[in-house]
């Protein structure tokens, strides 16, 4: 009869779970216990079968997706579902299941994350940017649990992350407007502390300054991220002594407010003022005329996040810190491309 993990546990005087943890190199097991388990393995000439190996390595074929999952979350994180769909597509093709997990509001998030990892209910974890919790990096690095953070946690972070290049998207927006010969360009942003908005704004400003254009302070307006405030700030732009010839909206919620302000002011688009926005979802289809869009395929972002996590499962020492999924210009009717010095109709 072949030797089992139970035989090893009995010989070493420990539980079967302790044997599996030793096989998986858990740091929580004392050196003395590890030595006893390895001695029992050698004495009994134990060779783990496939099932035991999976158990020892915590190979559940399950991945946790940690995010904020509160009521009306789709309005705050409209791209999360597309990211999830991309993740699910890639994981299912590789024989993995996906488990959703919300961040607890009535207990310590740090304790929750630690327990989720030590319970070994999953082989790895994908953390959406909305799921950022205090102490997250410390826990992930100390446990060396396979993970990918979807977003950019900052330049000095040592955790693994993947993100879209929002700065590059801002550069694309500025380059398109300059290609159309719009030189007086304003930027309608979210709040000062919105990370994505600031990245896009900085990308826009970088290209403008590179080509010798100074963007007046009054051309950069911050909002409370609502359509109503975007409407008010757009009216301020329109009322300037020298209003802009083009406006970049940081997202399509703001573009809704801008579009209404232009309509109410009887301003022709794009003849008098042109505009573009970022992202197709969720409101671009409601805007008339159909807007020019700098779009990012967040479904592909989900696919790439899953691919990177599966690579890390194979190579735990792999450090993943990268941008992926390039922005794409989708030409609409709110800007006009220049061709041979003339605007195309």
């Amino acid at each position: 009869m072949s030797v089992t993990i139970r035989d090893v546990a009995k010989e070493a005087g420990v539980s079967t779970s302790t044997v599996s943890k030793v096989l998986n190199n858990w740091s929580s097991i004392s050196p003395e216990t590890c030595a006893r388990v390895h001695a029992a393995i050698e004495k009994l000439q134990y060779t783990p079968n496939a099932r035991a190996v999976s158990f020892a390595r915590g190979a559940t074929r399950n991945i946790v997706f940690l995010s904020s999952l509160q009521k009306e979350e789709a309005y705050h994180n409209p791209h999360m579902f597309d990211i999830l769909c991309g993740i699910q597509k890639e994981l299912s093709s590789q024989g993995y299941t996906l488990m959703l997990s919300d961040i607890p509001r009535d207990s310590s998030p740090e304790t929750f994350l630690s327990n989720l990892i030590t319970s070994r209910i999953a082989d790895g974890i994908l953390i959406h940017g909305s799921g950022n919790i205090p102490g997250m990096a410390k826990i992930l690095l100390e446990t060396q649990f396979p993970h990918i953070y979807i977003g950019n946690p900052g330049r000095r972070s040592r955790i693994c992350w993947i993100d879209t290049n929002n700065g590059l998207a801002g550069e694309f927006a500025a380059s398109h407007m300059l290609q159309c010969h719009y030189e007086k360009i304003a930027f309608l942003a979210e709040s000062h502390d919105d990370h994505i908005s600031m990245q896009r704004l900085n990308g826009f400003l970088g290209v403008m300054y590179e080509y010798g254009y100074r963007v007046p302070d009054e051309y950069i307006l911050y909002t409370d991220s609502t359509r109503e405030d975007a409407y008010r700030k757009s009216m301020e732009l329109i009322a300037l002594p020298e209003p802009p010839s083009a406006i970049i909206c940081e997202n399509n919620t703001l573009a809704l407010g801008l579009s209404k302000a232009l309509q109410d002011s009887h301003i022709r688009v794009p003849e008098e003022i042109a505009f573009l926005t970022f992202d197709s979802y969720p409101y671009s289809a409601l805007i008339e005329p159909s807007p020019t869009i700098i779009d990012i395929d967040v479904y592909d972002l989900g696919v790439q996040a899953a691919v990177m996590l599966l690579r890390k499962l194979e190579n735990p020492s792999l450090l993943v810190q990268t941008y992926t999924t390039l922005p794409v210009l989708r030409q609409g009717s709110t800007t006009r491309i220049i061709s041979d010095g003339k605007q195309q109709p």
Side-chain angles (χ1 to χ4, degrees):
M1 180 180 291
S2 61
V3 178
T4 68
I5 194 172
R6 286 190 177 86
D7 297 326
V8 174
K10 183 177 180 181
E11 177 68 27
V14 298
S15 66
T16 55
S17 64
T18 297
V19 174
S20 70
K21 290 176 182 178
V22 171
L23 292 172
N24 199 33
N25 298 315
W26 280 40
S27 59
S28 59
I29 307 301
S30 69
E32 294 79 7
T33 301
C34 288
R36 290 208 316 274
V37 171
H38 284 299
I41 290 173
E42 184 176 353
K43 178 181 177 180
L44 300 176
Q45 297 183 331
Y46 170 65
T47 301
N49 57 32
R51 182 179 179 184
V53 169
S54 293
F55 179 56
R57 293 180 180 172
T60 63
R61 310 292 293 183
N62 183 46
I63 300 297
V64 170
F65 182 85
L66 180 63
S67 177
S68 175
L69 298 173
Q70 298 298 296
K71 184 179 179 181
E72 299 184 346
E73 191 65 36
Y75 293 100
H76 304 294
N77 296 304
H79 300 298
M80 188 172 67
F81 184 72
D82 269 353
I83 293 173
L84 263 175
C85 290
I87 291 171
Q88 170 62 23
K89 182 257 185 186
E90 181 61 27
L91 291 182
S92 62
S93 71
Q94 300 299 321
Y96 281 81
T97 57
L98 181 64
M99 182 178 78
L100 296 179
S101 181
D102 188 15
I103 302 169
R105 301 302 191 278
D106 54 354
S107 61
S108 167
E110 300 96 317
T111 301
F112 171 80
L113 179 59
S114 295
N115 291 341
L116 188 152
I117 291 172
T118 57
S119 67
R120 296 284 164 169
I121 61 174
D123 299 338
I125 186 169
L126 291 161
I127 304 171
H128 186 260
S130 65
N132 193 9
I133 62 176
M136 175 186 68
K138 184 173 184 291
I139 295 169
L140 293 173
L141 294 172
E142 286 183 350
T143 59
Q144 298 183 349
F145 194 63
H147 65 275
I148 296 290
Y149 180 82
I150 303 174
N152 188 337
R155 288 181 297 175
R156 296 184 179 181
S157 178
R158 292 185 293 125
I159 67 172
C160 294
W161 58 265
I162 186 171
D163 195 13
T164 57
N165 196 331
N166 290 295
L168 183 60
E171 294 177 16
F172 273 40
S175 296
H176 174 71
M177 289 302 203
L178 293 177
Q179 182 185 6
C180 294
H181 288 195
Y182 304 122
E183 299 178 356
K184 296 189 296 181
I185 308 170
F187 195 100
L188 198 59
E190 294 197 64
S191 63
H192 288 273
D193 57 0
D194 184 271
H195 184 63
I196 293 176
S197 185
M198 292 304 97
Q199 285 183 319
R200 290 173 173 175
L201 174 58
N202 289 335
F204 158 71
L205 291 174
V207 168
M208 295 298 290
Y209 293 152
E210 180 182 349
Y211 282 89
Y213 294 98
R214 179 186 174 275
V215 181
D217 292 341
E218 60 267 26
Y219 276 16
I220 301 175
L221 293 181
Y222 299 91
T223 70
D224 63 7
S225 305
T226 64
R227 180 186 61 180
E228 292 76 18
D229 198 34
Y231 178 89
R232 289 190 291 269
K233 296 300 171 60
S234 298
M235 285 297 195
E236 292 179 19
L237 283 173
I238 295 168
L240 288 173
E242 291 189 27
S245 58
I247 301 172
I248 294 174
C249 295
E250 195 280 319
N251 62 43
N252 47 68
T253 299
L254 304 183
L256 271 178
L258 169 62
S259 178
K260 186 175 189 318
L262 295 174
Q263 290 174 7
D264 289 353
S265 301
H266 306 289
I267 292 175
R268 292 175 298 140
V269 178
E271 291 84 1
E272 295 178 277
I273 294 182
F275 72 90
L276 64 72
T277 185
F278 296 90
D279 308 324
S280 296
Y281 183 82
Y283 300 122
S284 292
L286 303 178
I287 299 173
E288 291 292 340
S290 60
T292 296
I293 298 166
I294 303 295
D295 203 13
I296 296 177
D297 187 353
V298 292
Y299 179 92
D300 182 65
L301 175 63
V303 170
Q304 297 305 319
V307 168
M308 292 298 181
L309 181 58
L310 294 179
R311 284 182 58 194
K312 189 163 177 62
L313 291 178
E314 295 178 356
N315 181 10
S317 64
L318 179 67
L319 178 63
V320 178
Q321 293 187 336
T322 186
Y323 290 112
T324 187
T325 312
L326 293 175
V328 176
L329 174 72
R330 303 195 187 282
Q331 182 66 50
S333 301
T334 58
T335 63
R336 286 182 180 172
I337 299 287
I338 293 297
S339 176
D340 299 325
K342 296 180 180 180
Q343 285 192 343
Q344 294 179 345

